[in-house]
Amino acid sequence: MNETHRHPRNRSVLVSGASIAGPAIAYWLHRHGFDVTVVEMAGTVRGGGYPIDIRGTALEVVRRMNVLPQLQKAHVNTQCITFVGADGSTIAALRAANLGIGADGDLEVQRGDLTEILYDAVRDSVAFMFNDSIASLDDRSDGIEVAFRSGARRTFDVVIGADGLHSNTRRLILGPEERFHHYLGACFAGFTLPNHLGLSHEGVLWNTPGRRAALYAAGSGRNVFGLLSFRRSDQPFDAFRNPDAQRELVAATFPDESWEIPRMVAEMRAAEDLFFDAVSQIRMTNWSLGRVALVGDAAYAPSFLTGQGTSLALVGAYVLAGELAAHADHAEAFDAYDRVLRPFVTLNQEMANGGDTELFPATEESLQQRNDALRSLSALPSDPPRAAYSALTLPDYEGC
């Protein structure tokens, strides 16, 4: 008899966060027979956002979730990436086949499409508490008492923090983020803006040393996603919670009059969906304490330089839920989760490689080398470390 048959199916779990890791682990926990509640501080799941990738082992996770056909339909299908110089002149235009986009069945979807698909997969089987969040946690021998900001109080057997890079759950159980936050020397601002260039299923990247501007068109619509990213030796802590300071910092960093930079800066100043943050990783020696465990970016954000944040969140959700189903004791489940997943996380976090990449050259020398290679090649100078994407073979948990 599989060990999971001997374990009670009515254990109650609270999941904090309804972006990607949250609905994903809620799906698997419900499938294993748990009673699941998801709390989310926003009024609903958040749409829009930048394109994200689902690769390697994560593709098997979404296949087992039965959402792969929907994600394939939502695939952005990027056809071309054009690299332009500081003056806006074209350096190279690379077709999708030469970029590795779509290789091995990889998917590129808009973040909002993924969150909607995951939410739809669980909305009828899992309880959602929107416009609320965890205020305090009292871990006891027979359960963990949760006080919510709404004033409600409930007791659960386990709490899962799936609330992102700046996890409130992590702060409540383990203290300030600074203990685990590893800054990688850059910041970024993302926002939606009108498709002035008429882009369709393509991206355009502008670089100077240590700065990058990008426009991504998921389709042929009226809007595109803009990204302004830049290297900075110290974190602008004063700007993290001050949108006006964020806008001023980005504008000051991109005073250029070339290409689309002036228009992008103007649109960034007016954008209602501006998202500003540091390029960083979360590194922890333990992903759990007592009856609380963390998953996704809350535990092991790899940074967007790796392109693996979404994939790690999906794989981590599958493994953590499976180990909770396979062990009667939550502490044993959390240990197994760490043991199975950590080597995979480490490999993927190491892909950040100091941040000096073909898409974001840090120095004039590396930028020139990149541009020279692009002018003579039909593909990026080096292949991405695809082995890391599929380095974990998913365990088979009962019923999956």
Side-chain angles (χ1 to χ4, degrees):
M1 178 183 293
N2 190 294
E3 190 178 16
T4 56
H5 282 301
R6 300 195 295 269
H7 298 152
R9 289 290 191 257
N10 60 353
R11 283 186 290 173
S12 60
V13 181
L14 174 67
V15 177
S16 177
S19 181
I20 293 173
I25 195 168
Y27 173 91
W28 291 113
L29 288 168
H30 172 74
R31 190 156 158 180
H32 288 301
F34 290 87
D35 179 13
V36 185
T37 299
V38 179
V39 62
E40 166 59 46
M41 65 186 301
T44 185
V45 292
R46 299 170 183 174
Y50 47 87
I52 53 88
D53 299 302
I54 303 172
R55 305 177 176 126
T57 303
L59 287 169
E60 177 61 14
V61 173
V62 296
R63 186 191 69 79
R64 295 186 187 187
M65 292 181 75
N66 301 313
V67 298
L68 181 57
Q70 295 166 264
L71 290 169
Q72 289 171 329
K73 186 176 180 179
H75 181 52
V76 169
N77 193 26
T78 297
Q79 297 296 305
C80 178
I81 297 290
T82 300
F83 294 82
V84 300
D87 61 356
S89 61
T90 298
I91 295 168
L94 303 185
R95 308 303 299 176
N98 297 325
L99 287 163
I101 296 173
D104 298 332
D106 291 357
L107 295 173
E108 182 186 25
V109 299
Q110 289 186 279
R111 185 180 181 88
D113 289 340
L114 176 58
T115 57
E116 287 286 352
I117 289 169
L118 294 177
Y119 177 58
D120 287 344
V122 296
R123 64 191 306 172
D124 295 329
S125 54
V126 167
F128 280 81
M129 300 171 58
F130 289 107
N131 291 312
D132 209 347
S133 61
I134 300 172
S136 66
L137 297 166
D138 186 5
D139 199 339
R140 301 176 177 179
S141 60
D142 59 345
I144 183 163
E145 185 177 12
V146 181
F148 296 93
R149 297 200 183 279
S150 62
R153 303 185 75 91
R154 292 177 58 184
T155 299
F156 298 87
D157 293 311
V158 170
V159 171
I160 305 297
D163 43 357
L165 180 72
H166 306 296
S167 170
N168 175 56
T169 310
R170 184 184 61 231
R171 179 186 61 81
L172 289 172
I173 63 168
L174 294 168
E177 179 179 314
E178 287 76 12
R179 296 175 55 192
F180 315 107
H181 184 120
H182 290 259
Y183 179 56
L184 297 182
C187 298
F188 66 94
F191 50 97
T192 301
L193 69 159
N195 188 5
H196 296 291
L197 297 181
L199 302 177
S200 176
H201 295 282
E202 62 186 302
V204 185
L205 272 65
W206 173 97
N207 286 103
T208 61
R211 295 186 302 156
R212 180 177 72 163
L215 295 171
Y216 295 101
S220 304
R222 297 174 58 186
N223 294 321
V224 294
F225 182 78
L227 185 71
L228 294 169
S229 48
F230 55 96
R231 298 188 182 279
R232 182 185 170 98
S233 59
D234 59 314
Q235 295 191 66
F237 289 108
D238 292 344
F240 285 139
R241 300 186 184 279
N242 185 336
D244 290 337
Q246 295 166 10
R247 297 176 200 275
E248 291 304 321
L249 173 61
V250 176
T253 307
F254 289 85
D256 312 75
E257 294 298 327
S258 64
W259 190 54
E260 289 289 300
I261 302 303
R263 192 191 305 272
M264 290 183 70
V265 169
E267 296 288 355
M268 179 273 302
R269 285 187 178 276
E272 295 181 356
D273 64 346
L274 176 65
F275 179 74
F276 178 91
D277 210 339
V279 179
S280 52
Q281 294 183 339
I282 296 296
R283 303 178 197 164
M284 307 179 67
T285 56
N286 295 293
W287 298 332
S288 63
L289 181 68
R291 293 179 177 271
V292 183
L294 304 170
V295 68
D297 280 357
Y300 33 78
S303 88
F304 80 72
L305 294 175
T306 70
Q308 281 294 88
T310 297
S311 292
L312 288 185
L314 291 168
V315 174
Y318 172 87
V319 172
L320 177 52
E323 295 299 342
L324 280 167
H327 296 84
D329 180 72
H330 63 273
E332 293 178 1
F334 294 162
D335 286 345
Y337 161 58
D338 190 296
R339 189 166 56 251
V340 170
L341 195 66
R342 189 170 292 275
F344 183 61
V345 166
T346 300
L347 276 175
N348 281 272
Q349 286 193 327
E350 288 175 348
M351 287 165 48
N353 191 30
D356 192 6
T357 67
E358 285 84 3
L359 297 181
F360 198 3
T363 66
E364 183 67 50
E365 181 182 11
S366 60
L367 176 61
Q368 188 61 50
Q369 290 175 346
R370 195 281 307 268
N371 290 347
D372 289 344
L374 288 173
R375 292 186 182 101
S376 60
L377 298 176
S378 60
L380 288 175
S382 61
D383 292 329
R386 302 194 62 84
Y389 303 159
S390 303
L392 175 66
T393 299
L394 286 183
D396 289 320
Y397 300 109
E398 191 205 336
C400 302

